[in-house]
Amino acid sequence: MRSGERRYAALFDLDGVVIDGRVATLAALRALAQTWSMSTVEESVLGQCAAMPPVQALEMLGVPDPREVYYRHFDAALSAAVSEGVLVFEAVVAAMSALAAHGAGIGIVTAQARSRIEFWIPPAVADLTDVLVAYEDAVPKPAPDGVLAACARLAVPHDRAFFLGDSPTDIAAGRAAGVFTVGAGWGFTGPDALREAGADLVLISPDEVGPEVLSHLGAD
């Protein structure tokens, strides 16, 4: 974690915002379903599972006792599948660096478990991240706890923070925390759903992220 006083907090959801792990996630689900399901994996059904919680996806794929399979085997399957495809939104990573140079502490607030962080977060993102709040660290979104915890650890008040997410759940968490909410229109749900969820600002492409967002927090 970088040292020094932070004047702002720039908080990011992970999957769908900084990275796109759909290919790897579907590969992991396919591998588990092929091992544990009693039925053939239908690609049309699998394609619906990328944005689902893994237990729900495994159940949809016909895996008996999906919760047990998830807890015992999902992390290993996902780690093996990462090599098959995790897209990094390089423009977002560059924006994180630029925001840090403008006095923002960088935080990740994710529903991913800490056991996945080592292989799920690109090294360049890990180097820029001052605070990471994982699934085990706070009540999950849409509760505001993770966003508030990140602000507290950065010692930045909520009115000097923004949270960039790609789902209505992210927007709900940010609004409940009292931070400026930014929708990532390139993510899993698209800009219309983020506007309907009440995002303060919706960005359409990753190259729109940058220090300009700080102007909404009173920055010059």
Side-chain angles (χ1 to χ4, degrees):
M1 183 171 72
R2 292 172 293 110
S3 60
E5 182 180 0
R6 288 94 179 194
R7 293 179 291 143
Y8 311 99
L11 309 179
F12 298 79
D13 181 35
L14 182 58
D15 200 8
V17 176
V18 182
I19 64 171
D20 184 340
R22 280 177 282 197
V23 171
T25 299
L26 291 178
L29 291 171
R30 181 188 293 107
L32 292 176
Q34 288 172 339
T35 301
W36 299 97
S37 178
M38 303 299 293
S39 57
T40 303
V41 177
E42 298 288 345
E43 290 299 316
S44 59
V45 176
L46 181 66
Q48 302 172 39
C49 295
M52 288 183 181
V55 173
Q56 182 182 344
L58 291 169
E59 182 178 17
M60 186 172 179
L61 292 168
V63 174
D65 201 355
R67 188 171 298 276
E68 181 74 7
V69 171
Y70 168 73
Y71 282 115
R72 287 183 176 272
H73 304 290
F74 185 74
D75 283 5
L78 187 61
S79 177
V82 163
S83 62
E84 297 191 31
V86 174
L87 171 67
V88 179
F89 294 112
E90 298 292 352
V92 177
V93 180
M96 295 169 87
S97 179
L99 284 159
H102 279 73
I106 306 300
I108 298 286
V109 181
T110 178
Q112 294 289 345
R114 279 199 170 268
S115 58
R116 289 174 214 140
I117 297 304
E118 182 176 347
F119 61 80
W120 202 232
I121 292 188
V125 175
D127 290 344
L128 288 166
T129 301
D130 298 302
V131 169
L132 187 140
V133 180
Y135 177 81
E136 302 92 336
D137 300 329
V139 179
K141 299 172 284 187
D145 301 51
V147 176
L148 291 172
C151 290
R153 289 170 62 183
L154 290 168
V156 174
H158 62 81
D159 60 350
R160 304 286 278 180
F162 73 80
F163 181 44
L164 175 61
D166 72 314
S167 73
T169 299
D170 294 324
I171 302 305
R175 287 172 61 86
V179 305
F180 188 80
T181 55
V182 186
W186 58 92
F188 289 170
T189 59
D192 289 343
L194 298 169
R195 293 189 188 99
E196 290 174 8
D200 295 307
L201 174 68
V202 175
L203 306 178
I204 304 303
S205 65
D207 58 10
E208 295 180 67
V209 186
E212 297 79 12
V213 179
L214 299 178
S215 65
H216 296 279
L217 309 180
D220 296 332

